[in-house]
Amino acid sequence: MAVSIRLKMLGTKHRPCYRIVALDSRKTRDGVTLENLGQYSPLPQETKIELNEEAVLNYLKDGAVPTETVKNILRQKGIVKVAQKAANGSVKFVWTKR
């Protein structure tokens, strides 16, 4: 089973709120999750990111693939550090605990 870490939408129009979840990559956005890993609220006046860092690192070590948006959120929290580009042009990500 391929696990991905992505956002699950909550909230309403003009008041978005997302849950960061681990789920089977073949499921839909609002499908059954394996585990809730945190919350993300992108509104400018009340931007809030809450993460269970240990659970996120465990999933990443086991091979879970985060989406681009989740990678950016993890980078903001200091969980992901971008290494130099490899010779073939791909970017290598290093998962660390701060």
Side-chain angles (χ1 to χ4, degrees), residues 14-58:
H14 309 292
R15 302 277 309 157
C17 183
Y18 300 93
R19 198 172 279 161
I20 301 170
V21 296
L23 61 126
D24 184 0
S25 61
R26 296 168 289 192
K27 299 287 183 184
T28 62
R29 178 192 68 193
D30 294 328
V32 179
T33 63
L34 298 173
E35 186 174 356
N36 290 327
L37 302 174
Q39 292 184 356
Y40 170 59
S41 177
L43 294 176
Q45 61 271 28
E46 54 185 68
T47 300
K48 180 173 66 170
I49 301 172
E50 297 176 8
L51 283 175
N52 181 352
E53 294 179 8
E54 291 178 16
V56 171
L57 285 172
N58 285 336

Side-chain angles (χ1 to χ4, degrees), residues 7 20 40 49 51 69-77:
L7 298 176
I20 301 170
Y40 170 59
I49 301 172
L51 283 175
T69 306
V70 173
K71 276 185 199 174
N72 292 334
I73 292 170
L74 295 178
R75 199 175 297 137
Q76 286 177 6
K77 292 295 280 185

Side-chain angles (χ1 to χ4, degrees), residues 2-3 9-10 12 15 22 26 30 52 62-63 66-67 69 72 78 80-81 85 88:
V3 176
M9 184 164 184
L10 303 172
T12 63
R15 302 277 309 157
R26 296 168 289 192
D30 294 328
N52 181 352
D62 290 340
T67 61
T69 306
N72 292 334
V80 174
K81 293 186 180 178
K85 288 187 176 183
N88 61 0

